[in-house]
Amino acid sequence: MLWNAFTVWRKESHTLGNMLTLGLGIMVIVVLPLMRAIDQDLFSKNSVTLYNAFVVPVIFYLIF
């Protein structure tokens, strides 16, 4: 995704639609490790379960 974003950035205009893959690539690099770092000691078990049940599938949907 980042390679595609880099190619689009060089060859096309810098509009929001052309930067979607850049945003998704950065989100994958930042959010996925952050999800792994979420510890159930910091948050309640229900909030972590809710996060994993809804946010993770949305991220994977956006990636594919």
Side-chain angles (χ1 to χ4, degrees), residues 23-46:
L24 287 174
I26 291 172
M27 185 170 57
V28 167
I29 290 173
V30 172
V31 172
L32 291 179
L34 182 65
M35 288 186 326
R36 300 290 178 214
I38 290 177
D39 191 12
Q40 291 183 358
D41 295 335
L42 297 174
F43 301 102
S44 69
K45 184 177 180 179
N46 291 336

Side-chain angles (χ1 to χ4, degrees), residues 3-60:
W3 182 257
N4 180 29
F6 178 71
T7 303
V8 169
W9 185 266
R10 284 187 306 135
K11 295 185 178 188
E12 296 183 15
S13 63
H14 299 221
T15 62
L16 180 62
N18 289 338
M19 292 189 295
L20 286 176
T21 56
L22 176 64
L24 287 174
I26 291 172
M27 185 170 57
V28 167
I29 290 173
V30 172
V31 172
L32 291 179
L34 182 65
M35 288 186 326
R36 300 290 178 214
I38 290 177
D39 191 12
Q40 291 183 358
D41 295 335
L42 297 174
F43 301 102
S44 69
K45 184 177 180 179
N46 291 336
S47 64
V48 173
T49 303
L50 182 69
Y51 182 79
N52 286 329
F54 291 108
V55 175
V56 173
V58 168
I59 290 173
F60 286 123

